[in-house]
Amino acid sequence: MTHPDVRSLSSALRSSPVLAYDGDCGFCQTSIDRIQALAAPTLEAVPWQFLPTESTSPYLERLDREVLLLHGGSVLAGGADALARYVSTSRSPAYRALAALVRLPGIRACARVLYRWVSRHRHRLPGGTPACAVPPRGA
């Protein structure tokens, strides 16, 4: 997968949200590739390692643990909420409906718990490697 240069990413972050994910994690890359193939969201998903340092440095601890929906210098959403917002930009009505369903209060709470569990165990999941392991808090 090719990614735009840092200058175009800087302007993209100012003009529209970007889903930042861990490009060093095989599980994360595989998951994003599948979402893109199935739902075809219109927002761009980029490994945070390819984004401008000024956009990511305030959020490095979070980026080690979760995807972030970034716009300008701000985080719009993280984890399950960011993925739901990302999928909600699909051209497919079915995927937009699925994203809306995940954003309902009771389901959203379950999605957040599931996301945190997957994040902690991603190195053990298909496509995961030891490099995918989330460092302990404060490490």
Side-chain angles (χ1 to χ4, degrees):
M1 172 182 282
T2 60
H3 297 285
D5 65 40
V6 171
R7 282 188 306 266
S8 65
L9 287 170
S10 291
S11 73
L13 279 167
R14 285 190 297 275
S15 63
S16 65
V18 172
L19 186 75
Y21 66 93
D22 188 350
D24 291 336
C25 173
F27 176 79
C28 297
Q29 184 66 61
T30 299
S31 298
I32 293 298
D33 289 346
R34 285 189 181 147
I35 291 169
Q36 289 174 336
L38 294 170
T42 59
L43 290 181
E44 187 160 9
V46 178
W48 67 261
Q49 294 88 344
F50 285 90
L51 293 171
T53 304
E54 65 272 7
S55 300
T56 58
S57 61
Y59 312 113
L60 291 178
E61 185 175 335
R62 286 187 73 185
L63 286 163
D64 272 342
R65 298 178 192 310
E66 63 183 335
V67 296
L68 294 180
L69 190 61
L70 301 173
H71 189 223
S74 301
V75 173
L76 301 178
D81 298 332
L83 282 177
R85 287 181 69 172
Y86 177 61
V87 172
S88 75
T89 69
S90 173
R91 290 181 182 94
S92 164
Y95 282 102
R96 287 195 311 270
L98 178 64
L101 186 66
V102 169
R103 294 168 83 177
L104 293 174
I107 297 171
R108 181 176 54 220
C110 292
R112 288 174 174 172
V113 169
L114 178 62
Y115 186 95
R116 284 191 301 271
W117 185 90
V118 168
S119 176
R120 283 191 308 272
H121 297 92
R122 64 189 186 177
H123 62 288
R124 296 182 181 143
L125 298 171
T129 66
C132 301
V134 174
R137 288 211 181 263

